[in-house]
Amino acid sequence: MNEQEIPIDIHLNKLLDWLISRRICPHDWQKNIITVRKNINNAIQDMPAVDEIANLLAGTYINYFHCRRIVEILKDTESSSKNIFGQYSSHRMKDWLEIIKLYEKDNIYLAEAAQLLVRNIVYELPSLKKQIIKCKNIQEESIQKEADYVKREKSMRENYLSSCQQIGIEGKNIKKELLSFLDELPGFLNTVASSAKDLTSIRNFYESFINFTMKKDIHSDCLPLLKHVIEKGNTTTFEWRTGEPPEVVEETTLGIPLDVDCASTEAADDQIDFGDLVANSESGDDRSSSSPNGDFVHVDREECKPENGDQVNFGDSDINWDISVETSGTNDIPPVFEEGEGGKVARGVDALSVLENETTRNSFYCDLLELEAFLDQRITEVELSSSNVLTSNLFQDAPAILQMQSIDSLKQMLSSTKSLSSQLMTTKLKHLFFIKSSPRYVDRLVESLKSKLETAERMIDCQKAVKLKFQEAVEEEKALDPKIKIIVDKTKILLSEVEQDISKRYKNRKVNIMGGLSALKQISVY
């Protein structure tokens, strides 16, 4: 094969070393290129208004081949500056001819061109391509985040409405609606007391069972609070304690502000006015952990145990119960029993009804739990026996009320008992007791509910932020697209010019710079 037909293959990364090793370019070419670059920077400050020159100077690094094209353009624009000897007197032309001369000395333009090819193909274009990919990823992430924020906003608003419904308020003016609960408290307690009368036969069954099995009459100690409520209703604590109704009941009234504004929950005039009772609250006498039967809050504390540290789930409601309830107010006032010209007077705790008083209410609830445990045990024993009726030898001499109870009747008794205990433990009634016992509870509950709406509003701000980020990524991608196209096109031209220049030095043998054109094609299709 003829030597002229054998192509010269040069790898792109080895191009500069190849030029130096063939002594086409000196190894210290960089110290000479500094002067060339200074002259180019000075020359481009004074250029004619030609579109082609503007295109050459835009987008990429100016190289030797650009300078040659500029000189050709200046030959036309500066033709009038020739003197009688055919030389150019134009300062512009002299500057660019000097630049060409410096470039061609020791062929340093080829070394610079090789360096430009490596920089564009190996570093700059891949970097721009990564930026494009990053912009696309940001757009996809922004779309996903926006959808997530919309979902979370909707979830928080639904959570807020669900919490309000669980409490029993509309949520338009939270604090005012919560304070209005206080007017409903007596009605709720009277309803519970009325429902307790339905347990008369169940309590009698329990009492008869104890009297029969213990062989003695202890009916006076059997579920005393439940018996009292069944017989006399929701009386005052004074009547429960003394057995006689008071002639005078001095109730402690709560001053509720009329101009309650949900938007200003921390305002002084929006606080519940407990009068002199607030002082008792601040004294540190917290009855919430010292009740002999366990505080009302503690009775259901396992049910209210937080799963995530802060939030407590009552049904479908997600309410923050991390609130230190200060049981101030009426429950901290010692009972007062006076006799005089005014007769029997009940004050403080004695003036409260037995279901409103924390201690007696807990005792009433414990009576219900005791009755539930008894019925549950009886059902288990009957199911394990050979008959569905309590007719074993043990109960042959028992009263008829004990012998004729079947599993179905016992289950009905248990259902009725649990129904009453559940009435006393509704979410709304719990809030009523908390509102009654703590002057600060309302504000903290308002803050807990409002925090859900505030979270929803933050989700809206987050949506705006990701939309802005999405738009910025779109704009950046639009700006990078033409920039990459310009660099790719000019790099292709430079690659072709370098191959042609080297080819002329080797009797026009074909020159292939490996890894150049193929890399540009891959970058073009991104």
Side-chain angles (χ1 to χ4, degrees), residues 127-144:
S127 176
L128 293 175
K129 182 180 178 181
K130 289 180 180 179
Q131 291 185 41
I132 289 283
I133 296 173
K134 183 179 179 181
C135 289
K136 292 183 181 295
N137 291 337
I138 290 175
Q139 293 171 36
E140 294 176 359
E141 291 174 2
S142 298
I143 293 173
Q144 181 63 34

Side-chain angles (χ1 to χ4, degrees), residues 24-25 53 109-110 202 230 233 237 251 283 298 314 340 347-348 383 387 408 422 450 475 486 493:
I24 298 175
C25 302
I53 292 179
Y109 70 90
L110 272 179
I202 302 175
I230 289 174
T237 305
E251 296 183 358
S283 65
H298 294 171
F314 277 108
R347 298 189 183 93
E383 289 176 342
S387 173
D408 292 337
S422 64
K450 289 178 65 178
E475 296 296 330
I486 291 174
I493 296 173

Side-chain angles (χ1 to χ4, degrees), residues 40-66:
I40 291 176
N41 291 334
N42 293 330
I44 62 177
Q45 303 300 322
D46 180 26
M47 296 297 295
V50 179
D51 293 339
E52 186 177 354
I53 292 179
N55 292 333
L56 289 173
L57 299 178
T60 57
Y61 197 74
I62 299 176
N63 56 60
Y64 165 77
F65 301 99
H66 292 155

Side-chain angles (χ1 to χ4, degrees), residues 432-445:
L432 285 174
F433 291 134
F434 290 150
I435 294 171
K436 184 75 173 179
S437 63
S438 174
R440 299 181 182 177
Y441 177 75
V442 176
D443 289 336
R444 296 183 181 181
L445 182 57

Side-chain angles (χ1 to χ4, degrees), residues 222-435:
C222 177
L223 310 180
L225 248 301
L226 178 58
K227 179 182 178 181
H228 177 82
V229 174
I230 289 174
E231 294 177 352
K232 298 184 178 181
N234 188 25
T235 66
T236 61
T237 305
F238 178 91
E239 184 173 349
W240 152 252
R241 189 171 59 84
T242 64
E244 299 178 2
E247 297 179 3
V248 180
V249 178
E250 295 184 357
E251 296 183 358
T252 302
T253 59
L254 303 179
I256 302 177
L258 299 178
D259 55 342
V260 180
D261 183 7
C262 179
S264 56
T265 58
E266 298 181 357
D269 58 350
D270 281 352
Q271 303 294 331
I272 305 176
D273 184 7
F274 278 76
D276 296 334
L277 304 182
V278 177
N280 295 330
S281 170
E282 296 175 353
S283 65
D285 183 13
D286 191 348
R287 293 284 297 275
S288 63
S289 59
S290 61
S291 175
N293 292 325
D295 180 57
F296 180 82
V297 178
H298 294 171
V299 169
D300 199 36
R301 183 54 59 87
E302 289 301 320
E303 179 186 346
C304 306
K305 187 174 182 181
E307 295 180 359
N308 57 359
D310 292 325
Q311 301 297 322
V312 177
N313 191 358
F314 277 108
D316 295 331
S317 175
D318 190 13
I319 304 173
N320 187 350
W321 282 89
D322 189 13
I323 300 175
S324 57
V325 178
E326 302 175 3
T327 55
S328 62
T330 55
N331 287 357
D332 291 333
I333 302 177
V336 178
F337 171 51
E338 296 182 359
E339 289 194 32
E341 296 180 359
K344 301 172 184 178
V345 182
R347 298 189 183 93
V349 175
D350 275 349
L352 299 176
S353 67
V354 291
L355 295 182
E356 189 176 3
N357 184 356
E358 176 188 322
T359 303
T360 54
R361 180 177 67 247
N362 289 337
S363 298
F364 177 78
Y365 185 70
C366 288
D367 286 352
L368 295 177
L369 295 181
E370 180 180 344
L371 190 56
E372 287 180 20
F374 163 73
L375 293 171
D376 192 49
Q377 180 63 26
R378 295 282 66 73
I379 292 173
T380 302
E381 291 177 355
V382 173
E383 289 176 342
L384 293 177
S385 66
S386 59
S387 173
N388 286 342
V389 183
L390 291 176
T391 58
S392 63
N393 295 332
L394 177 64
F395 292 93
Q396 286 181 356
D397 299 330
I401 191 175
L402 297 181
Q403 295 188 33
M404 302 307 296
Q405 298 298 335
S406 65
I407 289 181
D408 292 337
S409 62
L410 290 173
K411 287 183 178 180
Q412 181 61 39
M413 291 181 185
L414 181 60
S415 176
S416 300
T417 306
K418 288 185 176 180
S419 176
L420 180 60
S421 62
S422 64
Q423 289 184 44
L424 195 63
M425 296 302 296
T426 61
T427 302
K428 187 171 184 177
L429 202 53
K430 291 174 186 177
H431 284 294
L432 285 174
F433 291 134
F434 290 150
I435 294 171

Side-chain angles (χ1 to χ4, degrees), residues 484-494:
I484 291 178
K485 187 176 184 304
I486 291 174
I487 295 176
V488 168
D489 293 342
K490 292 194 174 183
T491 303
K492 286 181 180 179
I493 296 173
L494 179 61

Side-chain angles (χ1 to χ4, degrees), residues 21-39:
S21 65
R22 267 69 177 174
R23 299 183 182 276
I24 298 175
C25 302
H27 66 277
D28 58 348
W29 64 273
Q30 289 181 331
K31 67 179 182 180
N32 296 324
I33 204 67
I34 296 175
T35 302
V36 177
R37 302 313 306 178
K38 287 182 179 179
N39 290 346

